[in-house]
Amino acid sequence: MQLVIVESPAKAKTIEKYLGPGYKVLASYGHIRDLPPKDGSVRPDEDFAMDWELYGDKTSRVKAITDAAKTADRLILATDPDREGEAISWHVRELLKKRKVLPKEVERVTFNAITKQTVTDAMKRPRELDQDLIDAYLARRALDYLFGFTLSPVLWRKLPGAKSAGRVQSVALRLIVEREREIEAFRSQEYWSVIARLEHLGTEFSARLVRFEGEKLDKLTLGNEGAALKAKALVESATFRVDEVETKPTRRNPYPPFTTSTLQQEAARKLGFSASHTMRVAQTLYEAGAITYMRTDGVQMDPSAISEARKAISDRYDGHYLPEKPRHYETKAKNAQEAHEAIRPTDFTKDRYGSSDEARLYDLIYKRAMASQMASANIERTTITLRDGTGKHELRATGQVIKFPGFLAVYEEGRDQKQDGDDEESGLLPAMNKGDTPAKRGVDAAQHFTQPPPRYSEASLVKRLEELGIGRPSTYAATLQVLKDRNYVRTEKNRFFAEESGRLLTAFLERFFPRYVAYDFTAGMEDELDNVSGGRAAWKIVLADFWRDFKPKSDEVMENKPSEVMAELDEFLSDYLFPPREDGTDPRICPKCAVGRLSLRGGRYGAFVACSNYPECKFTRKFAQPGGSDGDGGDDDSVLGQDPVTGLDVTRKSGRFGPYVQLGDGKEAKRASIPKDIGELDFEWALKLLSLPREVGKHPESGNPITASIGRYGPYLAHDGKYARLKATAEVFETGMNAAVMLLAAAAAGGGRGARVAAEPLNTFGPHPTSGGEIKLMAGRYGPYVTDGTTNATLPKDKKPEDLTLEEAIVLIDERAAKGPPKGKKVVKKKAAPKKAAAEKAPAKTAAKKPAAKKAPAKKPAAKKPKAAAE
């Protein structure tokens, strides 16, 4: 028997069908071992010795592989054709060798697509495991471990609120934070444009004023309304004639087929997919045999695939769409490894595959690959210049006409951001000759403001990382997910925003570890790792060079006291935290007491700005709140008035979870969050919020009170453990008895447990692409969940309901549906009444089942394992 090892069960099932009798194909379900998450797993002082630990959930899989290996004559390692695939094969081989069940014959087989022809051909060309790729994996894994496990303890002890740092993730975070700084430093400038609306031969078009009073107009030349109106008046009064007509033919060439990075970018732009979702869907398509391997830097296609693509083009289009010679591409990405093909369909006769997100992604891959072998597009760009009689004033109109679409008939690449003038250049212009005088239909003067650089989307961030040569495209999805999971960043409308903790971490690393978050250093490490994979460098030497400088630097920082670290960061961030004030006063003077000086402090939940005059002055400000917004102390600790009943101060404060009002001081002080929908908070509103819960009255049936209050998910009514949602904060104080009883009854009409949750959804996202049911975000008894009316899926604990996107909701519902009905809701058992009766007549069987329910004692030794290991 020949044992074949692959990663996934879907892949195993398909390949076993292709190979037939004599072969047993088992899945490892990805990596089977990893470095234990504890100190000492990599030991630099012992020549970088590494310990490996079996994943807890892989025990049964490894046992199945081990048992099969005992009777196998040959072991064929057929994991993915990349560095990670080589590593998985190496781990399987080493584990079987350690357990002394390794077959005598061990071979490595790789294939770029899961089709019968490709798989059977690959089986005829086995090879040895590639030690250079294994060494590159070991170097990368050890490097990331040493970076994280050396730096993270420094963060925990010296930087409040920090969770972890990573070799690539910290640099990606720096890009996001730096863009945030650019946006904050940006000062918008006003400018105006003057556009004439013209008509010639029945066709309307627009022309921009580009020269005024003999001077060429730059973007910001018309900087105010006065100048713009003066220019507008002149254009309205002058007569403009066509002076020049320039027609310039151009060609646009098709784009190469997708790589991992470009697929992630386009799927984000056109389909709204996150990088991680794109890779999950692509993995499914690959394992189904629909596309080639989806982790690749290569842009070239196999000659046979090129021939298939060209045939598909000739079958669908006339001869003009097929170039005389096949197109060949070379990557321009830094550190690219072109060992594999680009991502393409395995069969160009199939222009559709799958359903839902699989179908959408396949369509994108298919069209891009086909377009890459099509003819160029022929475009005619026309520029018309119109001048008045003096020659001092000039209008310009531009447009383009696609004479031959070529590859554009199939595919056009998306863009991250619309460029200025796109609309003007894409418009059609009427045929005009020198001397023509188009009719003037109107002149508009439009006000504009310069815009800051856009925040990164997943597509643009992945593109930037690739341009800098940082990380590998196959790891970008996981890297970005870590930043979200650590709450260093958040996404809004598919754009990255740096959170307070992310900004502080970046500042810490830039101040104390500048070399290790430098773009050129991180890209240089990728070069060294590529040298290892190419056999041009020894992996332990690369690690030794890194460790020689990194370890002493981390030890040096660890010796600093947290107060010293904060003092350094206070100075490093002074321009951000304490920018110059317009009135010239000292920006560090406390705006509340006017005596103390402001500085950066560290607390249990992170960094903040505080007054040195504490405890006499308790002014504080969030770290992420720029210094320019100090005002007079404003929202952060301002007394609104005294409570007429107790005489205690009613204070507005800003806390970890947002603004709130407080009555009195100390641990017993009453507090209430400030809802977002009440507008401007005043003393009257503060007293209302602190008075909650409000008793609406006694329920006419039960006689028990109905209360109105504000909870975690908004305003609500409560009565005898049952709830009804209110739409606005004002309704908490305005809802009367009749309305309250009706709302509670309507909520209860939902039936059973549904009566305990809000009747109204927290958010709606639109129809589910498969079931068609409307996707809603609901507040449930055990936390928020999403539903399409058929399947309910609880949100992960680290996911904020307000941050949930449509794409994430679909994934949660689909993953929950794939698991089947929840335990305890097996309809078959509920209907099997006769079996229950039979069970009552068989006490012996019932008694036999009782011990199975008492498994708790057996778990006690397992709970002591960590202690034993520590000893």
Side-chain angles (χ1 to χ4, degrees):
M1 185 265 289
Q2 301 186 61
L3 176 61
V4 181
I5 303 298
V6 296
E7 289 97 338
S8 76
K11 191 175 174 182
K13 184 177 180 181
T14 304
I15 292 174
E16 190 167 70
K17 180 177 66 176
Y18 291 156
L19 298 179
Y23 290 88
K24 186 176 183 61
V25 186
L26 295 178
S28 68
Y29 285 74
H31 275 284
I32 59 172
R33 317 189 291 183
D34 195 11
L35 296 170
K38 62 181 181 181
D39 288 336
S41 295
V42 178
R43 298 182 294 282
D45 296 338
E46 298 177 27
D47 198 26
F48 296 97
M50 302 168 74
D51 292 333
W52 300 100
E53 179 181 75
L54 194 68
Y55 282 117
D57 60 346
K58 297 295 176 68
T59 304
S60 61
R61 302 310 312 164
V62 171
K63 184 180 184 303
I65 293 172
T66 302
D67 291 344
K70 293 176 182 178
T71 58
D73 304 315
R74 179 187 179 208
L75 174 65
I76 302 171
L77 300 166
T79 50
D80 288 341
D82 59 6
R83 185 184 294 148
E84 289 301 308
E86 207 75 16
I88 292 171
S89 288
W90 176 78
H91 277 299
V92 171
R93 185 190 70 177
E94 292 302 296
L95 188 65
L96 294 179
K97 183 190 297 184
K98 185 177 180 180
R99 296 186 176 187
K100 298 181 180 180
V101 293
L102 186 69
K104 292 183 179 179
E105 191 176 352
V106 180
E107 293 177 326
R108 175 81 166 107
V109 167
T110 60
F111 33 81
N112 191 45
I114 305 177
T115 63
K116 186 172 184 178
Q117 186 65 46
T118 306
V119 171
T120 52
D121 288 347
M123 287 294 175
K124 299 174 184 177
R125 298 189 301 272
R127 62 170 173 82
E128 298 289 325
L129 279 170
D130 190 325
Q131 190 60 46
D132 290 333
L133 285 180
I134 295 168
D135 288 347
Y137 160 77
L138 294 173
R140 184 179 294 275
R141 191 67 196 89
L143 186 64
D144 289 340
Y145 172 91
L146 291 173
F147 191 99
F149 271 82
T150 304
L151 191 53
S152 292
V154 178
L155 297 177
W156 301 335
R157 297 173 190 175
K158 309 302 177 184
L159 193 67
K163 297 177 181 178
S164 70
R167 184 178 60 88
V168 176
Q169 85 180 48
S170 296
V171 180
L173 176 61
R174 182 186 175 188
L175 281 170
I176 296 171
V177 170
E178 286 191 340
R179 179 55 55 88
E180 200 77 32
R181 293 171 184 164
E182 291 174 19
I183 293 170
E184 290 170 350
F186 180 82
R187 296 295 175 263
S188 183
Q189 289 183 267
E190 178 186 10
Y191 69 97
W192 290 71
S193 62
V194 176
I195 307 293
R197 289 178 278 111
L198 308 175
E199 182 182 335
H200 186 68
L201 299 177
T203 301
E204 293 187 1
F205 64 99
S206 298
R208 179 187 294 268
L209 181 66
V210 295
R211 187 176 293 274
F212 178 59
E213 295 182 342
E215 293 186 9
K216 182 180 178 182
L217 296 182
D218 293 325
K219 183 176 182 178
L220 302 176
T221 302
L222 300 178
N224 56 65
E225 185 178 15
L229 293 179
K230 180 181 177 182
K232 175 187 175 185
L234 187 142
V235 174
E236 287 175 333
S237 61
T239 300
F240 287 86
R241 289 183 173 83
V242 176
D243 195 56
E244 295 176 15
V245 178
E246 181 184 6
T247 301
K248 184 179 180 181
T250 59
R251 293 167 63 88
R252 280 181 61 185
N253 295 321
Y255 311 96
F258 282 128
T259 61
T260 302
S261 170
T262 55
L263 177 64
Q264 291 174 1
Q265 293 171 45
E266 277 292 83
R269 295 183 191 113
K270 291 189 172 182
L271 306 180
F273 290 0
S274 67
S276 57
H277 186 59
T278 297
M279 297 312 292
R280 281 196 298 269
V281 177
Q283 178 85 34
T284 303
L285 291 172
Y286 167 66
E287 291 177 356
I291 64 171
T292 54
Y293 192 52
M294 67 288 165
R295 292 186 177 91
T296 174
D297 293 326
V299 293
Q300 187 56 272
M301 290 200 299
D302 183 82
S304 63
I306 293 176
S307 298
E308 290 180 15
R310 287 173 63 83
K311 184 178 185 305
I313 294 166
S314 63
D315 289 344
R316 298 182 184 206
Y317 302 94
D318 64 41
H320 294 91
Y321 286 84
L322 188 66
E324 292 184 6
K325 296 180 180 179
R327 293 185 180 275
H328 297 277
Y329 298 92
E330 293 182 2
T331 186
K332 296 180 182 178
K334 190 177 180 181
N335 291 332
Q337 300 171 4
E338 299 192 54
H340 312 304
E341 277 190 83
I343 304 170
R344 63 167 177 84
T346 56
D347 187 350
F348 278 93
T349 63
K350 296 179 179 178
D351 60 354
R352 291 182 179 83
Y353 182 87
S355 60
S356 190
D357 286 354
E358 291 177 22
R360 297 169 69 197
L361 191 65
Y362 180 83
D363 181 67
L364 203 64
I365 294 169
Y366 181 91
K367 288 179 177 177
R368 175 87 168 215
M370 174 166 304
S372 72
Q373 289 300 319
M374 293 179 70
S376 300
N378 294 330
I379 300 171
E380 186 177 85
R381 299 187 186 277
T382 302
T383 302
I384 298 175
T385 304
L386 304 96
R387 295 187 176 93
D388 72 338
T390 66
K392 294 182 179 180
H393 312 291
E394 184 177 303
L395 299 174
R396 182 170 298 159
T398 57
Q400 67 179 26
V401 176
I402 298 176
K403 293 294 187 179
F404 173 68
F407 75 94
L408 292 176
V410 175
Y411 183 87
E412 183 168 10
E413 188 174 60
R415 284 186 284 184
D416 294 315
Q417 188 182 26
K418 191 175 181 180
Q419 304 296 318
D420 289 340
D422 281 354
D423 291 338
E424 294 175 28
E425 292 187 4
S426 61
L428 293 176
L429 296 176
M432 284 184 280
N433 299 308
K434 185 174 181 179
D436 287 343
T437 306
K440 198 180 300 175
R441 297 304 181 199
V443 180
D444 300 315
Q447 183 185 37
H448 310 277
F449 292 93
T450 54
Q451 298 298 311
R455 288 184 170 85
Y456 284 110
S457 63
E458 283 212 2
S460 58
L461 184 57
V462 164
K463 183 178 181 181
R464 186 62 181 143
L465 288 169
E466 188 177 34
E467 289 171 350
L468 292 171
I470 294 170
R472 307 301 314 161
S474 59
T475 65
Y476 289 155
T479 298
L480 300 186
Q481 190 59 47
V482 168
L483 294 180
K484 297 176 188 177
D485 293 343
R486 297 285 187 270
N487 293 320
Y488 291 149
V489 300
R490 71 179 190 279
T491 54
E492 293 180 10
K493 297 180 179 179
N494 295 323
R495 296 284 172 173
F496 283 106
F497 288 73
E499 294 283 25
E500 176 181 333
S501 56
R503 296 190 68 138
L504 188 63
L505 173 60
T506 298
F508 175 85
L509 295 174
E510 287 177 322
R511 171 60 186 85
F512 293 100
F513 295 89
R515 179 186 180 194
Y516 302 100
V517 289
Y519 302 135
D520 56 352
F521 172 81
T522 309
M525 286 302 303
E526 294 297 338
D527 289 335
E528 293 190 52
L529 292 170
D530 287 342
N531 286 335
V532 173
S533 64
R536 299 180 295 275
W539 69 280
K540 291 183 179 179
I541 293 177
V542 170
L543 288 177
D545 290 342
F546 166 79
W547 189 246
R548 187 181 303 113
D549 297 324
F550 182 70
K551 184 62 167 68
K553 181 63 179 177
S554 61
D555 291 342
E556 175 191 327
V557 177
M558 184 66 91
E559 292 175 2
N560 292 330
K561 296 178 181 178
S563 59
E564 294 172 339
V565 170
M566 277 298 153
E568 290 284 349
L569 291 177
D570 177 85
E571 183 63 30
F572 184 76
L573 292 166
S574 60
D575 290 341
Y576 167 69
L577 295 173
F578 313 106
R581 289 177 172 168
E582 293 182 1
D583 59 6
T585 58
D586 186 350
R588 284 184 179 264
I589 291 295
C590 177
K592 185 174 182 181
C593 70
V595 176
R597 290 179 60 78
L598 303 178
S599 61
L600 186 66
R601 305 284 181 85
R604 181 179 179 184
Y605 299 113
F608 61 96
V609 173
C611 177
S612 61
N613 200 24
Y614 181 85
E616 286 74 16
C617 178
K618 298 180 181 179
F619 175 86
T620 60
R621 187 181 74 219
K622 289 183 180 180
F623 164 78
Q625 181 179 336
S629 60
D630 275 341
D632 58 358
D635 297 338
D636 289 278
D637 196 356
S638 56
V639 177
L640 300 174
Q642 281 72 43
D643 178 37
V645 178
T646 64
L648 297 173
D649 285 345
V650 176
T651 310
R652 172 172 177 151
K653 292 176 173 286
S654 185
R656 184 185 179 194
F657 301 107
Y660 64 96
V661 288
Q662 178 175 304
L663 176 64
D665 288 310
K667 294 183 179 179
E668 302 302 320
K670 188 170 184 179
R671 300 174 179 85
S673 296
I674 302 174
K676 296 180 180 179
D677 65 343
I678 67 171
E680 193 68 29
L681 179 82
D682 56 20
F683 181 54
E684 183 181 352
W685 260 114
L687 290 177
K688 283 184 176 182
L689 294 172
L690 289 166
S691 70
L692 296 177
R694 163 184 168 250
E695 183 172 323
V696 180
K698 305 293 184 183
H699 195 285
E701 295 179 3
S702 67
N704 293 327
I706 298 174
T707 59
S709 192
I710 301 171
R712 183 179 180 185
Y713 299 111
Y716 67 94
L717 295 167
H719 169 253
D720 279 355
K722 297 182 180 180
Y723 305 89
R725 183 180 175 86
L726 296 174
K727 294 182 178 179
T729 301
E731 294 183 9
V732 174
F733 305 97
E734 298 170 357
T735 302
M737 271 296 297
N738 291 338
V741 171
M742 290 177 63
L743 287 169
L744 286 165
R753 293 182 180 178
R756 300 181 61 86
V757 300
E760 294 290 329
L762 301 178
N763 198 0
T764 56
F765 298 94
H768 188 284
T770 303
S771 69
E774 185 176 26
I775 299 177
K776 299 177 182 179
L777 173 64
M778 307 295 291
R781 184 181 183 185
Y782 303 107
Y785 66 95
V786 287
T787 180
D788 63 347
T790 303
T791 302
N792 298 344
T794 304
L795 267 63
K797 292 182 180 180
D798 59 352
K799 186 65 184 178
K800 297 179 181 178
E802 59 269 23
D803 293 341
L804 186 72
T805 64
L806 170 61
E807 172 205 324
E808 292 169 332
I810 293 171
V811 171
L812 288 172
I813 290 172
D814 289 348
E815 289 179 348
R816 185 65 194 86
K819 293 178 182 178
K823 293 180 180 179
K825 290 189 178 182
K826 296 182 180 179
V827 180
V828 175
K829 288 188 176 181
K830 287 183 179 180
K831 291 182 178 180
K835 290 184 179 180
K836 183 178 179 183
E840 291 173 354
K841 295 178 182 179
K845 289 184 179 180
T846 305
K849 289 182 180 179
K850 287 183 180 178
K854 298 181 179 180
K855 292 184 179 179
K859 292 183 179 179
K860 289 183 180 178
K864 295 181 181 179
K865 283 184 180 178
K867 184 177 179 181
E871 292 170 356

